[in-house]
Amino acid sequence: MADALFVVLSKLADSLGEQTLERISTKLIEVAPVLTDFEHSMKQIEAELLILQAFIAQVGTKVGDKAFDAWLDQVRDVAHEVEDIIDEYAYLEVQAVDTGSFFKRKFLQIKKFAAWQKFHSQISHVEARIQRLGEIRNRYGILSGEIDRSKKLRSPNRLFMSDSSYLTDNSEIVGHVDEIGRLTQWLLEYKQERTLIAVFGMGGSGKTTIASSAYKSQKITRTFNCHAWVTVSQTYQVEELLREIINQLIDQRASMSSGFMTMSGLRLVEVIQSYLQDKKYFIVLDDVWDKDAWLFLNYAFVRNNCGSKVLITTRRKDVSSLAVDQYTIELKTLQYAESWELFCKKAFRASKDNQCPENLRFCAEKIVARCQGLPLAIVTIGSVLSYHEFEEQGWESFYSQLSWQLANNPELNWISNVLNMSLNDLPSYLRNCFLYCSLYPEDYKIKRKVISKLWIAEGLVEDREDGTTMEEVANYYLVELTQRCLLRVTESNACGRPRAFVMHDLVRELTSNIAKKEKFGIAYGDASTTQVPPEVRRLCIQRGAQTLNSIGSSRSPLIYFV
Ligand SMILES: Nc1ncnc2c1ncn2[C@@H]1O[C@H](COP(=O)(O)OP(=O)(O)OP(=O)(O)O)[C@@H](O)[C@H]1O
Ligand SMILES: [Mg+2]
């Protein structure tokens, strides 16, 4: 493009013979090759950014691979640097566009040649960094090519965690009485057609616990001819699920000898179909993350009008909508009194009647309040504290370092593992929007109109180019985050349209740790430091933060007064 521009402008200058144009013509002869070069580099660097962003979105962090994580950090830094160059370029372009005619615009470009010229050194710098990243990867044998989603998502604690919920004794369950009652009633009611029931709620809210309480109830299972419980998880293999169901339904030895291990998925479905043909069955599919699993299993679980029931637990509304509304339970967090009771049962299990000692009550209440009714957090923190001496200072310091504890105390890994699974399941466009939400202060009511505009301004909302406005796309994002139980609607308008959302505080805590680690953004609240780490992309200053000496190289400072 610069070549053509050069030819047109110099011809124009020559033919007009005007002095100014002649001067520009001379200047053009000097700058044209640089402009040509520059535009070429700019295109290359834009393409590079797309690949960098796609790569970062695809790999995420590898659990336990510190070298890879450190290298990925560097990749992120380079992506940020490229993003800045492109932003500045876009800014200069817009300035040029604002000025009237094509020729004026191009003359202005040349006048601003000095400004454009600095891009050259920036681009060369970034290119050198990208090359170095490749060298580092080779030198240390960092395997970035092998992206194994299943490995990324599988966590050693996961199995233990879901097992422990399944094993929770019914006598240990606190609250959710109404939900357990409804579930029991649906499972016992007589209805010929196969009924699909869904329990839906955020990670750690107790879905597996209440499903298992029903599954283990003899009063319920006795009314069925056969039953099975399978954990689907994010990384299921359909064949493995089908085999597991067969193992549980049919005698294990028989299933081994019948060669099920080598059978294809379709054959396994047929085996289940023919076994269930004339039976009243009860099957629990725990922890379902997408509808695909059901599409397959739906065929296996024959509709035989024997009054069978299938129970699904999930964190996702779209999955729970496989069941009709009438058979869906949305599991809410526990009330404060229930949370307190559950916490005391865990933390003071050795003392008489699980009583909280008076000297610890104040601190214990603060800890329970921080859990905001999430059983997973109450049970885990309560259990960890049960090993602590009953001594105020220790508890106070545990409470004051709770954020740090959540991120670093291996005994609390359960909480972060479970909650991070929801984050890992997000597609990259939603993940960034969600990281952005974590910059808001605790319990902040995130207004739909404001967050949509901020996301758009940050370039986090895709332009679908199909007539859908960016605001509409941002609204879809909010719906999706709500349906994944990551945001909760707190205010709606008269037509039922959500007006404000909140994040569960522990989810916010963990997400903001990730945002900080990935240099996506950082929020400063009451106890903040006065120094902003370099290269942080977004900065949120909440009321009470001390004066910051510098806002570093943050692109988007935000200030919230709460
Ligand atoms: N009502 C309850 N009373 C006592 N403990 C509970 C209750 N609900 C959940 N718990 C405990 O909280 C922890 C998390 O519960 P659970 O695994 O059932 O949550 P979940 O909603 O199934 O989570 P996920 O989305 O990860 O599958 C478990 O240790 C479980 O024993
Ligand atoms: Mg579960």
Side-chain angles (χ1 to χ4, degrees):
M1 198 177 94
D3 296 342
L5 172 72
F6 166 66
V7 174
V8 173
L9 284 184
S10 50
K11 274 194 180 160
L12 190 71
D14 284 348
S15 63
L16 287 176
E18 281 180 26
Q19 259 194 1
T20 356
L21 284 177
E22 259 173 37
R23 272 211 309 277
I24 291 168
S25 169
T26 324
K27 186 78 185 162
L28 265 172
I29 293 167
E30 288 166 26
V31 306
V34 183
L35 273 177
T36 316
D37 242 25
F38 169 70
E39 285 187 7
H40 180 65
S41 313
M42 207 62 212
K43 277 196 187 115
Q44 272 189 335
I45 213 77
E46 276 175 3
E48 194 93 44
L49 178 63
L50 286 180
I51 296 172
L52 282 173
Q53 284 173 334
F55 177 77
I56 294 166
Q58 206 170 352
V59 292
T61 51
K62 281 191 187 177
V63 183
D65 191 342
K66 289 209 164 91
F68 178 81
D69 282 356
W71 181 78
L72 187 62
D73 255 6
Q74 300 286 316
V75 176
R76 250 186 230 114
D77 281 353
V78 176
H80 290 160
E81 204 174 328
V82 175
E83 213 173 37
D84 285 346
I85 297 173
I86 292 172
D87 274 2
E88 218 164 312
Y89 172 71
Y91 171 70
L92 283 178
E93 277 271 302
V94 167
Q95 275 201 327
V97 169
D98 281 346
T99 58
S101 76
F102 172 80
F103 288 119
K104 264 198 198 155
R105 193 163 70 235
K106 291 303 168 191
F107 288 142
L108 193 82
Q109 270 191 0
I110 293 153
K111 261 169 115 186
K112 291 208 163 183
F113 180 63
W116 294 97
Q117 229 173 357
K118 78 168 187 231
F119 284 124
H120 264 290
S121 61
Q122 288 179 341
I123 290 177
S124 320
H125 178 245
V126 123
E127 278 169 350
R129 277 191 84 180
I130 292 173
Q131 197 172 350
R132 243 187 345 264
L133 279 175
E135 288 161 12
I136 292 174
R137 192 190 56 193
N138 294 340
R139 191 177 313 148
Y140 297 105
I142 295 167
L143 297 174
S144 58
E146 175 210 313
I147 300 158
D148 183 347
R149 190 165 176 269
S150 62
K151 261 190 203 152
K152 189 182 99 187
L153 298 170
R154 208 170 290 148
S155 114
N157 281 340
R158 181 65 199 148
L159 190 64
F160 179 48
M161 188 65 215
S162 59
D163 277 359
S164 84
S165 315
Y166 175 80
L167 296 172
T168 306
D169 194 86
N170 285 3
S171 64
E172 288 173 40
I173 297 179
V174 175
H176 290 152
V177 179
D178 183 37
E179 288 83 351
I180 295 174
R182 257 187 298 158
L183 188 58
T184 311
Q185 186 200 329
W186 294 341
L187 290 169
L188 288 177
E189 82 182 356
Y190 184 72
K191 188 168 165 251
Q192 266 198 335
E193 312 94 77
R194 183 194 72 184
T195 314
L196 183 58
I197 302 167
V199 179
F200 150 72
M202 73 179 284
S205 56
K207 301 178 292 295
T208 304
T209 308
I210 76 158
S212 77
S213 87
Y215 187 77
K216 286 183 292 185
S217 153
Q218 294 233 339
K219 189 176 150 204
I220 293 174
T221 46
R222 225 188 289 131
T223 64
F224 295 93
N225 301 129
C226 57
H227 49 88
W229 171 291
V230 277
T231 305
V232 180
S233 85
Q234 282 172 318
T235 54
Y236 65 92
Q237 293 273 328
V238 175
E239 278 90 351
E240 274 177 30
L241 287 182
L242 295 170
R243 268 183 215 115
E244 180 57 30
I245 293 166
I246 292 174
N247 272 344
Q248 292 189 32
L249 291 176
I250 308 170
D251 177 76
Q252 257 202 26
R253 267 166 311 172
S255 64
M256 297 282 267
S257 59
S258 312
F260 293 133
M261 292 310 287
T262 51
M263 253 181 217
S264 71
L266 287 177
R267 273 290 299 134
L268 293 167
V269 167
E270 282 169 3
V271 171
I272 299 176
Q273 273 179 342
S274 78
Y275 183 77
L276 295 179
Q277 199 65 44
D278 52 357
K279 294 192 176 61
K280 180 181 179 188
Y281 58 87
F282 171 30
I283 293 174
V284 182
L285 301 173
D286 186 34
D287 200 22
V288 182
W289 286 80
D290 59 49
K291 290 196 224 172
D292 298 355
W294 175 247
L295 291 180
F296 222 80
L297 294 171
N298 187 21
Y299 287 108
F301 305 150
V302 280
R303 292 159 181 262
N304 53 7
N305 285 336
C306 292
S308 303
K309 316 272 173 191
V310 179
L311 170 61
I312 287 181
T313 79
T314 181
R315 293 184 195 188
R316 292 181 47 166
K317 180 88 182 156
D318 59 334
V319 175
S320 75
S321 64
L322 287 167
V324 289
D325 281 352
Q326 190 192 342
Y327 286 106
T328 303
I329 292 174
E330 183 171 351
L331 205 56
K332 300 269 172 21
T333 46
L334 298 177
Q335 302 289 328
Y336 183 80
E338 294 164 343
S339 305
W340 177 253
E341 186 189 335
L342 182 56
F343 180 79
C344 291
K345 270 191 167 182
K346 298 290 165 184
F348 312 114
R349 61 178 142 215
S351 39
K352 189 169 174 284
D353 297 332
N354 308 129
Q355 281 290 321
C356 171
E358 270 319 302
N359 62 329
L360 296 178
R361 179 173 278 272
F362 181 64
C363 187
E365 282 178 354
K366 285 194 291 183
I367 293 172
V368 173
R370 274 304 290 284
C371 296
Q372 293 188 339
L374 189 70
L376 165 76
I378 300 167
V379 166
T380 318
I381 296 176
S383 306
V384 168
L385 284 171
S386 71
Y387 307 118
H388 281 223
E389 290 296 317
F390 288 161
E391 167 251 310
E392 270 165 77
Q393 227 182 350
W395 275 55
E396 275 297 342
S397 80
F398 180 91
Y399 172 73
S400 62
Q401 296 164 17
L402 194 55
S403 309
W404 183 91
Q405 298 272 359
L406 281 172
N408 300 291
N409 183 347
E411 288 176 310
L412 297 181
N413 269 355
W414 272 10
I415 302 177
S416 49
N417 284 343
V418 167
L419 298 182
N420 282 343
M421 287 178 83
S422 293
L423 206 71
N424 289 337
D425 191 54
L426 290 176
S428 62
Y429 59 89
L430 263 189
R431 189 176 190 272
N432 284 339
C433 290
F434 192 61
L435 288 184
Y436 193 88
C437 294
S438 74
L439 301 180
Y440 279 95
E442 183 183 336
D443 295 331
Y444 192 86
K445 282 190 183 162
I446 304 173
K447 297 274 186 308
R448 177 174 54 80
K449 285 186 179 163
V450 178
I451 189 77
S452 314
K453 289 195 172 73
L454 285 169
W455 282 348
I456 294 168
E458 286 283 343
L460 301 177
V461 176
E462 65 181 333
D463 183 359
R464 294 194 175 163
E465 294 175 355
D466 62 352
T468 320
T469 64
M470 292 244 205
E471 278 81 7
E472 284 167 342
V473 178
N475 284 338
Y476 291 140
Y477 288 2
L478 284 166
V479 170
E480 210 174 325
L481 289 173
T482 316
Q483 295 199 337
R484 288 166 178 265
C485 296
L486 286 168
L487 291 181
R488 186 166 56 82
V489 177
T490 52
E491 274 174 33
S492 301
N493 62 18
C495 323
R497 187 172 195 192
R499 213 166 28 200
F501 305 83
V502 285
M503 267 173 111
H504 189 282
D505 191 43
L506 297 181
V507 175
R508 186 195 61 84
E509 194 74 60
L510 292 164
T511 313
S512 73
N513 280 340
I514 294 172
K516 185 172 165 187
K517 187 169 167 286
E518 295 183 0
K519 294 176 189 150
F520 178 91
I522 192 161
Y524 285 104
D526 289 342
S528 307
T529 147
T530 54
Q531 211 57 49
V532 179
E535 293 168 347
V536 62
R537 307 293 287 165
R538 293 163 190 89
L539 176 65
C540 176
I541 306 166
Q542 299 162 8
R543 190 185 65 173
Q546 295 160 33
T547 317
L548 295 163
N549 289 339
S550 117
I551 58 165
S553 56
S554 164
R555 289 152 44 106
S556 323
L558 295 168
I559 302 182
Y560 292 102
F561 294 101
V562 287

